[in-house]
Amino acid sequence: MSSYKLLLVSAIFSLLLATRAREIVFPPIDAIHAYQSSLRVDGSLDDVDIATGSQFSGLTTFAHLPYVNCFVDRNDAQKYDIAFLGAPFDTGVTARPGARFGPGGIRQGSRRISPRAGWSVYTGENSFDDWATIVDCGDAPLTFLDNTVALKQLEKAHKVTSGRAAATTSKSSIPRIITLGGDHTTTLAALRSTHAHWGEVSVIHFDSHIDTWDPKTIGGGISHYAGVNHGTFLHLAHEEGLIRNTSIHAGIRAPLVRPKGDLRNDIRCGFEIVRARDIDRIGVSGVIEKLKSRVADSNVYISVDIDVLDPAFAPATGTSEVGGWSTRELLSILDGLKGIRIIGGDIVEVAPIYDSAGEITVLAAAEVAHSLMTLMVQKPVQP
């Protein structure tokens, strides 16, 4: 056959191939097979799944959980046992702003966490696939022009969200909330809400700062309004009778304003302190033991400021302090709190604008939120 005929046959064959749509068929042994359906050999789309299976599709909720509008009054509203609630508020900070974008950032960081692939390599458990119905309520609608009104809005959002009947009342009759912050002032609204259901609670406070400062020391010298901020909220919670004298800080390392007065006031507010460098002496297990013995069998609220981590692990926050814990240390400590009566929790002070290109802060924050959720699933609680 002449070269001209060979070229002609090749061109005709190529033209015939081009008239057919390219088909991509993954063999059953391919690792992606469990998450993506193949086209049929005949090119039909009838058996292609476009409803499930991609970590990049749909609305970005925490860990791909179902979204529920928890703020409306409807008899047919979906029930839940644990709810994630965003608090886009950052006008109570004393340093860099940006934590109003924290809820969205944490949800972005949770994209690789999902109920269908949530089995822990450490425990063999999947906290999504247990007794609890877990949802994402989205963000509370907060004004950004008036802190007093915004905190009242957040408190109401908490009360409405936790005021519904739980999905699994035999296990836990009151829905529990994990707040995605937002600056640390938002914890005050959460504690005000939990008090209505649970009374005074012990607080395990992971942070580099004590946050029990007297408002006269931080902010209050200017006005009463300015005295409500992310460094005074635990002082205010104590003054309002929201927390017990069995609370404890963990990871503290930031300097104080007054050489003795701040620590005296901290004790008055009901707190003991585990300092960041204590972990070098007593280890992770020693930190866990101190936290668990302090709160004992009381109802506990866990608040995690992402700046408890060293800036090497969480640069995206407003008031970074060097010398903090690693992400692994924090997660190991949280895992070690299994069995305590957690009635609420939060991960706050995440300001994504300061994060690295690798998103290390929001990834860490998402895993902290996942750990808080797991602790709640492991220990159902009743009033």
Side-chain angles (χ1 to χ4, degrees):
M1 185 179 292
S2 67
S3 59
Y4 172 77
K5 289 182 178 179
L6 284 173
L7 288 172
L8 181 61
V9 171
S10 177
I12 293 171
F13 185 69
S14 298
L15 183 62
L16 288 172
L17 288 177
T19 60
R20 297 185 61 190
R22 179 175 295 175
E23 297 177 40
I24 302 174
V25 180
F26 294 103
I29 60 171
D30 194 284
I32 207 168
H33 180 75
Y35 299 94
Q36 180 171 335
S37 298
S38 308
L39 297 180
R40 291 204 326 224
V41 176
D42 63 2
S44 170
L45 301 178
D46 291 344
D47 60 350
V48 176
D49 178 13
I50 62 170
T52 62
S54 173
Q55 59 183 294
F56 309 110
S57 63
L59 295 173
T60 305
T61 60
F62 183 83
H64 306 278
L65 290 168
Y67 165 74
V68 173
N69 186 344
C70 305
F71 314 128
V72 296
D73 247 347
R74 282 174 41 196
N75 294 328
D76 62 342
Q78 179 178 335
K79 293 183 178 180
Y80 45 83
D81 300 299
I82 299 171
F84 287 90
L85 173 65
F89 175 93
D90 66 1
T91 45
V93 300
T94 56
R96 299 184 296 190
R100 70 180 62 183
F101 303 107
I106 297 169
R107 291 186 180 100
Q108 284 285 99
S110 75
R111 284 174 297 177
R112 293 193 67 249
I113 304 172
S114 72
R116 66 184 301 169
W119 297 95
S120 170
V121 72
Y122 299 104
T123 66
E125 300 172 354
N126 182 348
S127 51
F128 295 100
D129 188 29
D130 209 301
W131 63 270
T133 299
I134 310 171
V135 301
D136 188 334
C137 296
D139 291 354
L142 310 180
T143 180
F144 47 86
L145 298 175
D146 189 306
N147 289 6
T148 302
V149 173
L151 291 174
K152 287 180 178 178
Q153 289 173 318
L154 182 57
E155 183 181 348
K156 185 173 183 179
H158 270 274
K159 287 183 176 178
V160 170
T161 302
S162 62
R164 305 187 185 284
T168 317
T169 54
S170 61
K171 288 279 191 177
S172 186
S173 57
I174 298 172
R176 290 176 284 175
I177 299 173
I178 300 170
T179 307
L180 308 178
D183 81 50
H184 223 151
T185 319
T186 59
T187 301
L188 181 59
L191 290 171
R192 286 170 174 168
S193 173
T194 56
H195 186 266
H197 297 296
W198 306 97
E200 294 182 357
V201 298
S202 301
V203 175
I204 298 179
H205 175 228
F206 291 91
D207 205 315
S208 63
H209 312 86
I210 56 173
D211 292 348
T212 53
W213 277 289
D214 190 314
K216 295 177 183 177
T217 303
I218 297 183
I222 301 173
S223 68
H224 176 74
Y225 178 94
V228 182
N229 59 64
H230 72 164
T232 63
F233 72 94
L234 287 174
H235 174 101
L236 298 172
H238 166 74
E239 292 291 305
E240 294 178 16
L242 307 179
I243 59 178
R244 294 165 52 98
N245 290 327
T246 51
S247 298
I248 188 167
H249 305 293
I252 301 297
R253 60 191 183 278
L256 304 172
V257 178
R258 300 175 295 173
K260 294 182 179 179
D262 290 347
L263 291 179
R264 282 199 299 266
N265 187 62
D266 192 64
I267 294 170
R268 187 180 70 85
C269 289
F271 282 84
E272 288 187 354
I273 297 178
V274 176
R275 293 167 177 81
R277 296 184 189 178
D278 290 347
I279 201 170
D280 300 326
R281 178 173 52 85
I282 63 176
V284 167
S285 59
V287 173
I288 294 169
E289 176 57 33
K290 280 182 173 290
L291 301 182
K292 295 183 82 168
S293 63
R294 177 65 173 169
V295 301
D297 59 352
S298 63
N299 292 328
V300 179
Y301 187 96
I302 298 182
S303 183
V304 183
D305 186 326
I306 199 65
D307 73 20
V308 71
L309 299 179
D310 190 88
F313 301 94
T317 189
T319 46
S320 296
E321 304 287 350
V322 298
W325 290 342
S326 71
T327 309
R328 184 179 68 250
E329 288 168 337
L330 175 60
L331 294 176
S332 294
I333 292 167
L334 288 172
D335 286 352
L337 298 179
K338 179 179 179 179
I340 64 175
R341 291 175 54 86
I342 300 172
I343 53 81
D346 60 51
I347 169 68
V348 298
E349 297 285 354
V350 177
I353 190 64
Y354 311 115
D355 216 352
S356 69
E359 300 182 315
I360 57 175
T361 310
V362 296
L363 289 170
E367 199 55 50
V368 167
H370 184 197
S371 293
L372 294 176
M373 184 196 84
T374 298
L375 290 172
M376 289 183 178
V377 172
Q378 290 172 336
K379 181 68 174 181
V381 291
Q382 297 283 10

